[in-house]
mmCIF file of all heavy atoms in Angstrom:
data_model
loop_
_atom_site.group_PDB
_atom_site.id
_atom_site.type_symbol
_atom_site.label_atom_id
_atom_site.label_comp_id
_atom_site.label_asym_id
_atom_site.label_seq_id
_atom_site.Cartn_x
_atom_site.Cartn_y
_atom_site.Cartn_z
ATOM 1 N N ASP X 3 0.839 -1.196 -0.001
ATOM 2 C CA ASP X 3 -0.016 -0.001 -0.002
ATOM 3 C C ASP X 3 0.883 1.241 0.002
ATOM 4 O O ASP X 3 1.701 1.424 0.887
ATOM 5 C CB ASP X 3 -0.897 -0.033 1.247
ATOM 6 C CG ASP X 3 -2.111 0.886 1.081
ATOM 7 O OD1 ASP X 3 -2.262 1.509 0.031
ATOM 8 O OD2 ASP X 3 -2.913 0.958 2.049
ATOM 9 N N ARG X 4 0.718 2.117 -0.980
ATOM 10 C CA ARG X 4 1.640 3.236 -1.171
ATOM 11 C C ARG X 4 1.132 4.502 -0.441
ATOM 12 O O ARG X 4 0.718 5.478 -1.042
ATOM 13 C CB ARG X 4 1.789 3.511 -2.676
ATOM 14 C CG ARG X 4 2.794 4.624 -3.053
ATOM 15 C CD ARG X 4 4.207 4.269 -2.860
ATOM 16 N NE ARG X 4 5.245 5.024 -3.504
ATOM 17 C CZ ARG X 4 5.320 6.331 -3.796
ATOM 18 N NH1 ARG X 4 4.326 7.106 -3.594
ATOM 19 N NH2 ARG X 4 6.406 6.829 -4.343
ATOM 20 N N ASP X 5 1.075 4.450 0.890
ATOM 21 C CA ASP X 5 0.862 5.628 1.684
ATOM 22 C C ASP X 5 1.727 5.537 2.928
ATOM 23 O O ASP X 5 2.208 4.462 3.297
ATOM 24 C CB ASP X 5 -0.630 5.832 2.030
ATOM 25 C CG ASP X 5 -1.250 4.597 2.645
ATOM 26 O OD1 ASP X 5 -0.507 3.661 3.064
ATOM 27 O OD2 ASP X 5 -2.475 4.509 2.704
ATOM 28 N N TRP X 6 1.945 6.660 3.594
ATOM 29 C CA TRP X 6 2.916 6.710 4.675
ATOM 30 C C TRP X 6 2.390 7.574 5.814
ATOM 31 O O TRP X 6 1.800 8.627 5.579
ATOM 32 C CB TRP X 6 4.244 7.272 4.154
ATOM 33 C CG TRP X 6 5.307 7.402 5.206
ATOM 34 C CD1 TRP X 6 5.820 8.549 5.708
ATOM 35 C CD2 TRP X 6 5.984 6.346 5.866
ATOM 36 N NE1 TRP X 6 6.781 8.264 6.665
ATOM 37 C CE2 TRP X 6 6.885 6.911 6.766
ATOM 38 C CE3 TRP X 6 5.885 4.936 5.762
ATOM 39 C CZ2 TRP X 6 7.713 6.136 7.578
ATOM 40 C CZ3 TRP X 6 6.722 4.175 6.582
ATOM 41 C CH2 TRP X 6 7.613 4.766 7.480
ATOM 42 N N GLY X 7 2.610 7.116 7.032
ATOM 43 C CA GLY X 7 2.197 7.870 8.195
ATOM 44 C C GLY X 7 1.549 6.970 9.215
ATOM 45 O O GLY X 7 1.131 5.839 8.953
ATOM 46 N N CYS X 8 1.432 7.483 10.424
ATOM 47 C CA CYS X 8 0.927 6.675 11.545
ATOM 48 C C CYS X 8 -0.529 6.251 11.342
ATOM 49 O O CYS X 8 -0.987 5.283 11.930
ATOM 50 C CB CYS X 8 1.045 7.459 12.840
ATOM 51 S SG CYS X 8 2.765 7.839 13.288
ATOM 52 N N ASP X 9 -1.300 6.995 10.518
ATOM 53 C CA ASP X 9 -2.712 6.681 10.293
ATOM 54 C C ASP X 9 -2.935 5.872 9.028
ATOM 55 O O ASP X 9 -4.087 5.631 8.635
ATOM 56 C CB ASP X 9 -3.544 7.961 10.235
ATOM 57 C CG ASP X 9 -3.598 8.675 11.571
ATOM 58 O OD1 ASP X 9 -3.750 7.982 12.604
ATOM 59 O OD2 ASP X 9 -3.451 9.909 11.606
ATOM 60 N N SER X 10 -1.879 5.417 8.372
ATOM 61 C CA SER X 10 -2.045 4.706 7.087
ATOM 62 C C SER X 10 -2.686 3.336 7.294
ATOM 63 O O SER X 10 -3.210 2.753 6.354
ATOM 64 C CB SER X 10 -0.718 4.565 6.368
ATOM 65 O OG SER X 10 0.193 3.798 7.154
ATOM 66 N N TYR X 11 -2.665 2.823 8.507
ATOM 67 C CA TYR X 11 -3.188 1.488 8.748
ATOM 68 C C TYR X 11 -4.680 1.398 8.522
ATOM 69 O O TYR X 11 -5.233 0.337 8.223
ATOM 70 C CB TYR X 11 -2.863 1.006 10.177
ATOM 71 C CG TYR X 11 -3.594 1.778 11.258
ATOM 72 C CD1 TYR X 11 -4.795 1.310 11.777
ATOM 73 C CD2 TYR X 11 -3.058 2.954 11.758
ATOM 74 C CE1 TYR X 11 -5.466 2.037 12.753
ATOM 75 C CE2 TYR X 11 -3.719 3.667 12.741
ATOM 76 C CZ TYR X 11 -4.916 3.205 13.243
ATOM 77 O OH TYR X 11 -5.564 3.927 14.214
ATOM 78 N N HIS X 12 -5.428 2.532 8.645
ATOM 79 C CA HIS X 12 -6.868 2.479 8.444
ATOM 80 C C HIS X 12 -7.256 3.127 7.098
ATOM 81 O O HIS X 12 -8.398 3.409 6.845
ATOM 82 C CB HIS X 12 -7.648 3.156 9.580
ATOM 83 C CG HIS X 12 -7.372 4.626 9.721
ATOM 84 N ND1 HIS X 12 -7.835 5.550 8.802
ATOM 85 C CD2 HIS X 12 -6.724 5.328 10.673
ATOM 86 C CE1 HIS X 12 -7.480 6.774 9.198
ATOM 87 N NE2 HIS X 12 -6.786 6.664 10.300
ATOM 88 N N GLN X 13 -6.275 3.292 6.231
ATOM 89 C CA GLN X 13 -6.543 3.912 4.915
ATOM 90 C C GLN X 13 -6.163 2.932 3.811
ATOM 91 O O GLN X 13 -5.091 2.331 3.809
ATOM 92 C CB GLN X 13 -5.656 5.191 4.763
ATOM 93 C CG GLN X 13 -5.875 5.948 3.458
ATOM 94 C CD GLN X 13 -7.116 6.825 3.493
ATOM 95 O OE1 GLN X 13 -7.696 7.002 4.549
ATOM 96 N NE2 GLN X 13 -7.467 7.373 2.365
ATOM 97 N N THR X 14 -7.098 2.744 2.873
ATOM 98 C CA THR X 14 -6.807 1.958 1.677
ATOM 99 C C THR X 14 -6.544 2.919 0.535
ATOM 100 O O THR X 14 -7.453 3.559 0.025
ATOM 101 C CB THR X 14 -7.992 1.039 1.325
ATOM 102 O OG1 THR X 14 -8.252 0.158 2.407
ATOM 103 C CG2 THR X 14 -7.679 0.228 0.082
ATOM 104 N N HIS X 15 -5.264 3.071 0.199
ATOM 105 C CA HIS X 15 -4.908 4.024 -0.848
ATOM 106 C C HIS X 15 -4.773 3.291 -2.197
ATOM 107 O O HIS X 15 -3.971 2.363 -2.323
ATOM 108 C CB HIS X 15 -3.592 4.733 -0.529
ATOM 109 C CG HIS X 15 -3.161 5.662 -1.633
ATOM 110 N ND1 HIS X 15 -1.958 5.538 -2.281
ATOM 111 C CD2 HIS X 15 -3.799 6.688 -2.221
ATOM 112 C CE1 HIS X 15 -1.847 6.457 -3.208
ATOM 113 N NE2 HIS X 15 -2.954 7.175 -3.201
ATOM 114 N N ILE X 16 -5.589 3.692 -3.161
ATOM 115 C CA ILE X 16 -5.543 3.113 -4.501
ATOM 116 C C ILE X 16 -5.005 4.167 -5.447
ATOM 117 O O ILE X 16 -5.649 5.214 -5.647
ATOM 118 C CB ILE X 16 -6.944 2.638 -4.959
ATOM 119 C CG1 ILE X 16 -7.483 1.633 -3.938
ATOM 120 C CG2 ILE X 16 -6.868 2.043 -6.367
ATOM 121 C CD1 ILE X 16 -8.940 1.301 -4.151
ATOM 122 N N PRO X 17 -3.825 3.986 -6.027
ATOM 123 C CA PRO X 17 -3.199 5.052 -6.825
ATOM 124 C C PRO X 17 -3.960 5.319 -8.133
ATOM 125 O O PRO X 17 -4.574 4.430 -8.713
ATOM 126 C CB PRO X 17 -1.806 4.496 -7.123
ATOM 127 C CG PRO X 17 -1.613 3.334 -6.200
ATOM 128 C CD PRO X 17 -2.973 2.822 -5.881
ATOM 129 N N LEU X 18 -3.851 6.550 -8.582
ATOM 130 C CA LEU X 18 -4.320 6.927 -9.901
ATOM 131 C C LEU X 18 -3.235 6.713 -10.964
ATOM 132 O O LEU X 18 -3.528 6.770 -12.156
ATOM 133 C CB LEU X 18 -4.752 8.397 -9.890
ATOM 134 C CG LEU X 18 -6.106 8.692 -9.255
ATOM 135 C CD1 LEU X 18 -6.202 10.170 -8.870
ATOM 136 C CD2 LEU X 18 -7.230 8.303 -10.163
ATOM 137 N N GLY X 19 -1.996 6.505 -10.519
ATOM 138 C CA GLY X 19 -0.878 6.396 -11.453
ATOM 139 C C GLY X 19 -0.325 7.753 -11.828
ATOM 140 O O GLY X 19 -0.020 8.023 -13.003
ATOM 141 N N LEU X 20 -0.171 8.633 -10.818
ATOM 142 C CA LEU X 20 0.274 10.019 -11.053
ATOM 143 C C LEU X 20 1.769 10.182 -10.798
ATOM 144 O O LEU X 20 2.287 9.695 -9.785
ATOM 145 C CB LEU X 20 -0.480 10.968 -10.144
ATOM 146 C CG LEU X 20 -1.999 10.952 -10.174
ATOM 147 C CD1 LEU X 20 -2.530 11.887 -9.084
ATOM 148 C CD2 LEU X 20 -2.512 11.371 -11.544
ATOM 149 N N ALA X 21 2.445 10.833 -11.721
ATOM 150 C CA ALA X 21 3.781 11.356 -11.489
ATOM 151 C C ALA X 21 3.690 12.871 -11.598
ATOM 152 O O ALA X 21 3.099 13.379 -12.554
ATOM 153 C CB ALA X 21 4.759 10.783 -12.499
ATOM 154 N N ILE X 22 4.243 13.592 -10.638
ATOM 155 C CA ILE X 22 4.090 15.027 -10.601
ATOM 156 C C ILE X 22 5.475 15.693 -10.548
ATOM 157 O O ILE X 22 6.297 15.371 -9.690
ATOM 158 C CB ILE X 22 3.238 15.506 -9.382
ATOM 159 C CG1 ILE X 22 1.847 14.839 -9.475
ATOM 160 C CG2 ILE X 22 3.122 17.026 -9.374
ATOM 161 C CD1 ILE X 22 0.964 15.128 -8.295
ATOM 162 N N HIS X 23 5.698 16.595 -11.476
ATOM 163 C CA HIS X 23 6.922 17.411 -11.502
ATOM 164 C C HIS X 23 6.509 18.815 -11.086
ATOM 165 O O HIS X 23 5.722 19.473 -11.753
ATOM 166 C CB HIS X 23 7.494 17.428 -12.943
ATOM 167 C CG HIS X 23 8.690 18.308 -13.121
ATOM 168 N ND1 HIS X 23 9.138 18.686 -14.350
ATOM 169 C CD2 HIS X 23 9.492 18.925 -12.208
ATOM 170 C CE1 HIS X 23 10.191 19.484 -14.217
ATOM 171 N NE2 HIS X 23 10.415 19.652 -12.926
ATOM 172 N N ARG X 24 7.047 19.254 -9.943
ATOM 173 C CA ARG X 24 6.707 20.574 -9.413
ATOM 174 C C ARG X 24 7.906 21.499 -9.467
ATOM 175 O O ARG X 24 9.032 21.130 -9.089
ATOM 176 C CB ARG X 24 6.234 20.452 -7.966
ATOM 177 C CG ARG X 24 5.675 21.766 -7.395
ATOM 178 C CD ARG X 24 5.482 21.675 -5.901
ATOM 179 N NE ARG X 24 6.759 21.654 -5.196
ATOM 180 C CZ ARG X 24 6.982 21.008 -4.054
ATOM 181 N NH1 ARG X 24 6.033 20.285 -3.514
ATOM 182 N NH2 ARG X 24 8.163 21.043 -3.479
ATOM 183 N N GLU X 25 7.678 22.708 -9.977
ATOM 184 C CA GLU X 25 8.632 23.807 -9.864
ATOM 185 C C GLU X 25 7.953 24.980 -9.193
ATOM 186 O O GLU X 25 6.823 25.335 -9.559
ATOM 187 C CB GLU X 25 9.142 24.233 -11.248
ATOM 188 C CG GLU X 25 10.027 23.231 -11.942
ATOM 189 C CD GLU X 25 10.481 23.696 -13.307
ATOM 190 O OE1 GLU X 25 9.968 24.735 -13.810
ATOM 191 O OE2 GLU X 25 11.370 23.039 -13.880
ATOM 192 N N SER X 26 8.611 25.574 -8.209
ATOM 193 C CA SER X 26 8.067 26.776 -7.570
ATOM 194 C C SER X 26 9.074 27.916 -7.758
ATOM 195 O O SER X 26 10.287 27.688 -7.723
ATOM 196 C CB SER X 26 7.747 26.525 -6.096
ATOM 197 O OG SER X 26 8.854 25.970 -5.400
ATOM 198 N N TYR X 27 8.531 29.121 -7.954
ATOM 199 C CA TYR X 27 9.360 30.247 -8.335
ATOM 200 C C TYR X 27 9.188 31.411 -7.361
ATOM 201 O O TYR X 27 8.102 31.714 -6.899
ATOM 202 C CB TYR X 27 8.940 30.746 -9.725
ATOM 203 C CG TYR X 27 8.808 29.665 -10.770
ATOM 204 C CD1 TYR X 27 7.587 29.442 -11.406
ATOM 205 C CD2 TYR X 27 9.908 28.884 -11.150
ATOM 206 C CE1 TYR X 27 7.448 28.450 -12.362
ATOM 207 C CE2 TYR X 27 9.768 27.895 -12.110
ATOM 208 C CZ TYR X 27 8.535 27.703 -12.719
ATOM 209 O OH TYR X 27 8.401 26.722 -13.674
ATOM 210 N N ALA X 28 10.311 32.065 -7.074
ATOM 211 C CA ALA X 28 10.328 33.272 -6.238
ATOM 212 C C ALA X 28 11.270 34.277 -6.867
ATOM 213 O O ALA X 28 12.242 33.915 -7.533
ATOM 214 C CB ALA X 28 10.736 32.959 -4.801
ATOM 215 N N TRP X 29 10.984 35.563 -6.612
ATOM 216 C CA TRP X 29 11.770 36.646 -7.162
ATOM 217 C C TRP X 29 12.114 37.652 -6.079
ATOM 218 O O TRP X 29 11.367 37.828 -5.111
ATOM 219 C CB TRP X 29 10.979 37.368 -8.262
ATOM 220 C CG TRP X 29 10.660 36.524 -9.440
ATOM 221 C CD1 TRP X 29 11.363 36.377 -10.599
ATOM 222 C CD2 TRP X 29 9.523 35.672 -9.596
ATOM 223 N NE1 TRP X 29 10.753 35.504 -11.445
ATOM 224 C CE2 TRP X 29 9.610 35.060 -10.882
ATOM 225 C CE3 TRP X 29 8.413 35.359 -8.798
ATOM 226 C CZ2 TRP X 29 8.644 34.153 -11.338
ATOM 227 C CZ3 TRP X 29 7.468 34.477 -9.269
ATOM 228 C CH2 TRP X 29 7.582 33.874 -10.523
ATOM 229 N N SER X 30 13.244 38.334 -6.241
ATOM 230 C CA SER X 30 13.663 39.350 -5.263
ATOM 231 C C SER X 30 13.496 40.746 -5.792
ATOM 232 O O SER X 30 13.992 41.690 -5.221
ATOM 233 C CB SER X 30 15.124 39.104 -4.879
ATOM 234 O OG SER X 30 15.953 39.198 -6.020
ATOM 235 N N LEU X 31 12.782 40.886 -6.898
ATOM 236 C CA LEU X 31 12.601 42.186 -7.544
ATOM 237 C C LEU X 31 11.338 42.875 -7.056
ATOM 238 O O LEU X 31 10.316 42.231 -6.851
ATOM 239 C CB LEU X 31 12.531 41.982 -9.068
ATOM 240 C CG LEU X 31 12.717 43.184 -9.970
ATOM 241 C CD1 LEU X 31 14.127 43.753 -9.815
ATOM 242 C CD2 LEU X 31 12.466 42.792 -11.429
ATOM 243 N N GLN X 32 11.422 44.180 -6.888
ATOM 244 C CA GLN X 32 10.300 44.964 -6.413
ATOM 245 C C GLN X 32 9.043 44.708 -7.263
ATOM 246 O O GLN X 32 9.087 44.744 -8.492
ATOM 247 C CB GLN X 32 10.649 46.461 -6.479
ATOM 248 C CG GLN X 32 9.562 47.400 -5.998
ATOM 249 C CD GLN X 32 9.986 48.849 -6.169
ATOM 250 O OE1 GLN X 32 11.150 49.147 -6.437
ATOM 251 N NE2 GLN X 32 9.054 49.751 -6.018
ATOM 252 N N GLY X 33 7.934 44.436 -6.577
ATOM 253 C CA GLY X 33 6.696 44.141 -7.280
ATOM 254 C C GLY X 33 6.490 42.663 -7.585
ATOM 255 O O GLY X 33 5.402 42.257 -7.948
ATOM 256 N N PHE X 34 7.566 41.879 -7.449
ATOM 257 C CA PHE X 34 7.484 40.429 -7.701
ATOM 258 C C PHE X 34 7.894 39.617 -6.490
ATOM 259 O O PHE X 34 8.039 38.406 -6.576
ATOM 260 C CB PHE X 34 8.369 40.060 -8.901
ATOM 261 C CG PHE X 34 8.003 40.703 -10.197
ATOM 262 C CD1 PHE X 34 8.477 41.953 -10.534
ATOM 263 C CD2 PHE X 34 7.156 40.061 -11.087
ATOM 264 C CE1 PHE X 34 8.149 42.568 -11.731
ATOM 265 C CE2 PHE X 34 6.798 40.646 -12.301
ATOM 266 C CZ PHE X 34 7.292 41.916 -12.610
ATOM 267 N N ASP X 35 8.119 40.295 -5.381
ATOM 268 C CA ASP X 35 8.730 39.638 -4.223
ATOM 269 C C ASP X 35 7.732 39.203 -3.164
ATOM 270 O O ASP X 35 8.120 38.654 -2.133
ATOM 271 C CB ASP X 35 9.763 40.578 -3.589
ATOM 272 C CG ASP X 35 9.137 41.840 -3.036
ATOM 273 O OD1 ASP X 35 8.110 42.280 -3.567
ATOM 274 O OD2 ASP X 35 9.697 42.400 -2.050
ATOM 275 N N ASP X 36 6.422 39.449 -3.385
ATOM 276 C CA ASP X 36 5.441 39.130 -2.334
ATOM 277 C C ASP X 36 4.446 38.091 -2.821
ATOM 278 O O ASP X 36 3.297 38.069 -2.366
ATOM 279 C CB ASP X 36 4.737 40.405 -1.881
ATOM 280 C CG ASP X 36 4.053 41.157 -3.036
ATOM 281 O OD1 ASP X 36 4.189 40.729 -4.187
ATOM 282 O OD2 ASP X 36 3.403 42.182 -2.753
ATOM 283 N N PHE X 37 4.860 37.214 -3.759
ATOM 284 C CA PHE X 37 4.035 36.066 -4.135
ATOM 285 C C PHE X 37 4.957 34.954 -4.588
ATOM 286 O O PHE X 37 6.096 35.173 -4.973
ATOM 287 C CB PHE X 37 2.996 36.397 -5.226
ATOM 288 C CG PHE X 37 3.587 36.857 -6.519
ATOM 289 C CD1 PHE X 37 3.874 35.924 -7.545
ATOM 290 C CD2 PHE X 37 3.826 38.217 -6.766
ATOM 291 C CE1 PHE X 37 4.409 36.349 -8.764
ATOM 292 C CE2 PHE X 37 4.332 38.628 -7.982
ATOM 293 C CZ PHE X 37 4.636 37.705 -8.984
ATOM 294 N N ILE X 38 4.449 33.716 -4.526
ATOM 295 C CA ILE X 38 5.203 32.531 -4.953
ATOM 296 C C ILE X 38 4.286 31.754 -5.909
ATOM 297 O O ILE X 38 3.151 31.479 -5.603
ATOM 298 C CB ILE X 38 5.634 31.667 -3.767
ATOM 299 C CG1 ILE X 38 6.735 32.366 -2.979
ATOM 300 C CG2 ILE X 38 6.125 30.287 -4.245
ATOM 301 C CD1 ILE X 38 7.178 31.614 -1.737
ATOM 302 N N VAL X 39 4.838 31.422 -7.076
ATOM 303 C CA VAL X 39 4.122 30.673 -8.101
ATOM 304 C C VAL X 39 4.587 29.209 -8.072
ATOM 305 O O VAL X 39 5.807 28.963 -8.115
ATOM 306 C CB VAL X 39 4.336 31.277 -9.494
ATOM 307 C CG1 VAL X 39 3.666 30.406 -10.564
ATOM 308 C CG2 VAL X 39 3.789 32.708 -9.570
ATOM 309 N N ILE X 40 3.654 28.296 -8.008
ATOM 310 C CA ILE X 40 3.966 26.868 -7.962
ATOM 311 C C ILE X 40 3.396 26.219 -9.243
ATOM 312 O O ILE X 40 2.192 26.181 -9.424
ATOM 313 C CB ILE X 40 3.362 26.187 -6.714
ATOM 314 C CG1 ILE X 40 3.871 26.892 -5.441
ATOM 315 C CG2 ILE X 40 3.701 24.707 -6.683
ATOM 316 C CD1 ILE X 40 2.970 26.696 -4.240
ATOM 317 N N LYS X 41 4.276 25.763 -10.093
ATOM 318 C CA LYS X 41 3.875 25.093 -11.339
ATOM 319 C C LYS X 41 3.908 23.587 -11.144
ATOM 320 O O LYS X 41 4.899 23.029 -10.668
ATOM 321 C CB LYS X 41 4.832 25.479 -12.479
ATOM 322 C CG LYS X 41 4.545 24.790 -13.800
ATOM 323 C CD LYS X 41 5.580 25.164 -14.850
ATOM 324 C CE LYS X 41 5.346 24.451 -16.188
ATOM 325 N NZ LYS X 41 6.377 24.803 -17.189
ATOM 326 N N ASN X 42 2.820 22.922 -11.487
ATOM 327 C CA ASN X 42 2.711 21.479 -11.357
ATOM 328 C C ASN X 42 2.367 20.865 -12.699
ATOM 329 O O ASN X 42 1.418 21.294 -13.351
ATOM 330 C CB ASN X 42 1.610 21.124 -10.353
ATOM 331 C CG ASN X 42 1.833 21.723 -8.975
ATOM 332 O OD1 ASN X 42 2.515 21.148 -8.158
ATOM 333 N ND2 ASN X 42 1.255 22.897 -8.754
ATOM 334 N N ILE X 43 3.136 19.864 -13.098
ATOM 335 C CA ILE X 43 2.818 19.081 -14.286
ATOM 336 C C ILE X 43 2.419 17.692 -13.821
ATOM 337 O O ILE X 43 3.242 16.957 -13.250
ATOM 338 C CB ILE X 43 4.007 19.020 -15.266
ATOM 339 C CG1 ILE X 43 4.541 20.423 -15.578
ATOM 340 C CG2 ILE X 43 3.586 18.342 -16.551
ATOM 341 C CD1 ILE X 43 5.758 20.399 -16.470
ATOM 342 N N ILE X 44 1.140 17.319 -14.057
ATOM 343 C CA ILE X 44 0.635 16.026 -13.649
ATOM 344 C C ILE X 44 0.709 15.080 -14.837
ATOM 345 O O ILE X 44 0.113 15.346 -15.880
ATOM 346 C CB ILE X 44 -0.832 16.125 -13.183
ATOM 347 C CG1 ILE X 44 -0.974 17.193 -12.109
ATOM 348 C CG2 ILE X 44 -1.339 14.789 -12.655
ATOM 349 C CD1 ILE X 44 -2.441 17.487 -11.762
ATOM 350 N N TYR X 45 1.399 13.962 -14.678
ATOM 351 C CA TYR X 45 1.537 12.962 -15.733
ATOM 352 C C TYR X 45 0.640 11.745 -15.437
ATOM 353 O O TYR X 45 0.673 11.212 -14.330
ATOM 354 C CB TYR X 45 2.989 12.495 -15.830
ATOM 355 C CG TYR X 45 3.934 13.541 -16.331
ATOM 356 C CD1 TYR X 45 4.469 14.486 -15.487
ATOM 357 C CD2 TYR X 45 4.291 13.597 -17.684
ATOM 358 C CE1 TYR X 45 5.339 15.465 -15.938
ATOM 359 C CE2 TYR X 45 5.187 14.569 -18.150
ATOM 360 C CZ TYR X 45 5.708 15.490 -17.276
ATOM 361 O OH TYR X 45 6.577 16.464 -17.737
ATOM 362 N N ASN X 46 -0.141 11.377 -16.417
ATOM 363 C CA ASN X 46 -0.869 10.105 -16.366
ATOM 364 C C ASN X 46 0.060 9.055 -16.895
ATOM 365 O O ASN X 46 0.352 8.968 -18.087
ATOM 366 C CB ASN X 46 -2.147 10.173 -17.226
ATOM 367 C CG ASN X 46 -2.885 8.860 -17.279
ATOM 368 O OD1 ASN X 46 -2.544 7.894 -16.605
ATOM 369 N ND2 ASN X 46 -3.919 8.801 -18.108
ATOM 370 N N THR X 47 0.571 8.189 -16.009
ATOM 371 C CA THR X 47 1.615 7.232 -16.390
ATOM 372 C C THR X 47 1.064 5.983 -17.075
ATOM 373 O O THR X 47 1.821 5.164 -17.553
ATOM 374 C CB THR X 47 2.462 6.815 -15.170
ATOM 375 O OG1 THR X 47 1.595 6.155 -14.228
ATOM 376 C CG2 THR X 47 3.099 8.011 -14.510
#
């Protein structure tokens, strides 16, 4: 069973077959320094 944690014993996890590539971006430039963008690419394997 592909789940992890102390409560996984009462959880039946059935995968969708997902692979996820995440990139998150931050900037130090005025006007761009007070938000964070998280890009996620979800792959159906």
